[in-house]
Amino acid sequence: MNDLASTAAPGRALCPPAVRAALRRAVPGLAAYAAIRSLGLVVLAAWSAANGKDWHTLLTARWDSLWYTRVAEHGYGYTVHLANGDVHSNLAFFPLLPWLERGLSALTPLSAADAGMAVAWLASLAAAVALYATGERLHGPRAGVALAALWAALPVGIVQSMAYSESLFTALAAWGVYCVLSGRWVWAGVLASLAGLTRPVGAAVVAAVWITAAVTAANERAGGVRPRAFLHGRHRRMLLGVLLAPLGWCGYVLWVSARQGSLTGYLDVQAGWHNGFDGGIAFGTFVWHQLTGPAFAAGLGLLVGVALVIWLYVHGVRKGQPLPLAVYGGTVLLIALTAKGYFGSKPRLMMPAFPLLLPLAAGLARWRPVRSWLVIGAVAVGSAVYGAFWLNGSGPP
């Protein structure tokens, strides 16, 4: 099988020749990704100039970017008390991105904000390579290129170029899931732990590691593998990966709980932002208000959009999507749809759920190249225009 794992023994680090070969195979996917995101940045710069705004400021110094920069420069402990009684604490923001901002700004002339954008740009390229590798492994090289291109051309793809944590998280998550696919359990655990230090949805990567490991162990035991065998060789590495996976997520949540003096400390911090999980009640109420008010068309569009992403997930599972991808993508989607909070954030929250794009990528790979690239090109132009409009308007909170 022509994939990143085929040239090295299971559980061992890739040798340099294998890395070079893998990167050479990924060049078309990386080029497609870079071209689409470059188009988005050019359109953003032109749109911003026409509106008297600075594209650089939009990418580095608005909304969550400011919170990450403050953590990088001053650490945790900053809180804003709003007039309506809400309390916004920077403890809501996981630490890996601000740590990288602080480290990069200390080593280079970059400010913390510019370091955050640099991390996002580099991480987005790493994510694109992981997506290519995943698509190539499952459906061939053309599907790998299409998957990287489709992720770049998401309507909210401009966030991948912002000093936000989505690109960093997706890179860690995509490589972590790929390591599960290729049987590199220790690397999967390390990457899952790092993803858990990046965003709350890092729990989805942990779930992919844990559930896949449990099913693998159960299947092997049913096939006659003795319990003592799980203490040796590959099974020992699998156990180590399972133990490593939750350390980042649990470590930060428990640290916040200790700092707040409450077992529910992190949930309390999120509640101050009106975030949390209510099983989708808030989201359902929002859609209902749209459907029963003057914004009926918008509410109908929301329902169609939700139905589409759910259909993509179900279709992928029915087509035999590997378990770690199904678990990871389903968990990201579930968390996004059942979380309460500002609705405008939901497309951004679903952006790391790249397995939802696999059925589309596989379908495009079966088309003639000219036809598939016309479709991807049209979607990329739409994404660039929408991203510029969105970021110059309300934008992501």
Side-chain angles (χ1 to χ4, degrees):
M1 183 177 291
N2 185 27
D3 58 61
L4 293 178
S6 63
T7 52
R12 295 181 182 178
L14 287 169
C15 61
V19 174
R20 289 195 295 269
L23 289 176
R24 282 196 298 269
R25 295 200 306 273
V27 165
L30 194 59
Y33 176 84
I36 293 171
R37 291 295 351 119
S38 296
L39 174 65
L41 291 173
V42 169
V43 174
L44 173 66
W47 195 300
S48 301
N51 283 273
K53 296 182 179 179
D54 178 28
W55 67 272
H56 178 265
T57 300
L58 293 176
L59 293 177
T60 62
R62 294 185 72 188
W63 304 297
D64 289 6
S65 299
L66 295 172
W67 287 88
Y68 283 119
T69 299
R70 181 175 285 274
V71 173
E73 293 176 339
H74 306 291
Y76 286 104
Y78 178 73
T79 301
V80 175
H81 296 267
L82 304 182
N84 64 357
D86 292 347
V87 179
H88 290 181
S89 168
N90 64 1
L91 290 169
F93 296 88
F94 276 52
L96 186 57
L97 177 59
W99 285 349
L100 293 175
E101 290 179 343
R102 181 184 301 173
L104 188 57
S105 63
L107 296 173
T108 68
L110 295 175
S111 67
D114 286 339
M117 185 171 68
V119 168
W121 287 19
L122 292 172
S124 69
L125 295 175
V129 176
L131 267 59
Y132 171 83
T134 302
E136 179 199 40
R137 181 183 180 91
L138 298 178
H139 302 291
R142 289 184 59 192
V145 175
L147 183 59
L150 287 173
W151 190 66
L154 288 173
V156 293
I158 191 64
V159 174
Q160 297 165 20
S161 302
M162 298 177 67
Y164 270 45
S165 60
E166 274 77 9
S167 291
L168 177 61
F169 173 78
T170 304
L172 294 168
W175 279 115
V177 173
Y178 185 87
C179 285
V180 178
L181 284 172
S182 57
R184 287 174 158 73
W185 290 102
V186 176
W187 275 111
V190 170
L191 290 164
S193 186
L194 291 173
L197 282 171
T198 307
R199 294 190 62 79
V201 75
V205 193
V206 178
V209 174
W210 279 11
I211 293 177
T212 305
V215 171
T216 300
N219 289 341
E220 291 187 356
R221 189 167 184 179
V225 177
R226 295 182 179 181
R228 286 188 178 182
F230 288 97
L231 299 179
H232 302 282
R234 182 173 65 84
H235 298 97
R236 185 167 54 191
R237 292 190 291 273
M238 183 170 68
L239 178 60
L240 180 56
V242 166
L243 294 175
L244 288 171
L247 294 183
W249 189 91
C250 290
Y252 183 69
V253 170
L254 291 175
W255 179 79
V256 173
S257 296
R259 185 182 176 108
Q260 296 293 95
S262 169
L263 288 176
T264 60
Y266 184 75
L267 296 177
D268 297 338
V269 168
Q270 288 284 10
W273 287 82
H274 289 289
N275 292 329
F277 300 95
D278 62 359
I281 295 175
F283 179 45
T285 302
F286 176 83
V287 175
W288 177 252
H289 284 162
Q290 301 295 307
L291 291 171
T292 56
F296 172 80
L300 187 61
L302 291 176
L303 284 180
V304 172
V306 171
L308 175 62
V309 296
I310 292 176
W311 178 83
L312 285 172
Y313 176 72
V314 173
H315 181 71
V317 172
R318 292 182 64 182
K319 288 293 184 179
Q321 193 169 96
L323 182 61
L325 287 165
V327 171
Y328 167 74
T331 305
V332 173
L333 182 60
L334 179 66
I335 291 174
L337 294 179
T338 59
K340 60 182 179 180
Y342 179 61
F343 171 76
S345 296
K346 290 196 178 292
R348 177 168 65 87
L349 296 178
M350 286 190 282
M351 191 173 68
F354 66 89
L356 298 177
L357 301 174
L358 269 169
L360 299 177
L364 287 171
R366 292 192 292 269
W367 290 6
R368 289 184 300 174
V370 172
R371 185 184 178 193
S372 62
W373 280 111
L374 283 174
V375 171
I376 291 174
V379 174
V381 170
S383 171
V385 172
Y386 179 75
F389 167 77
W390 187 50
L391 215 55
N392 276 273
S394 60

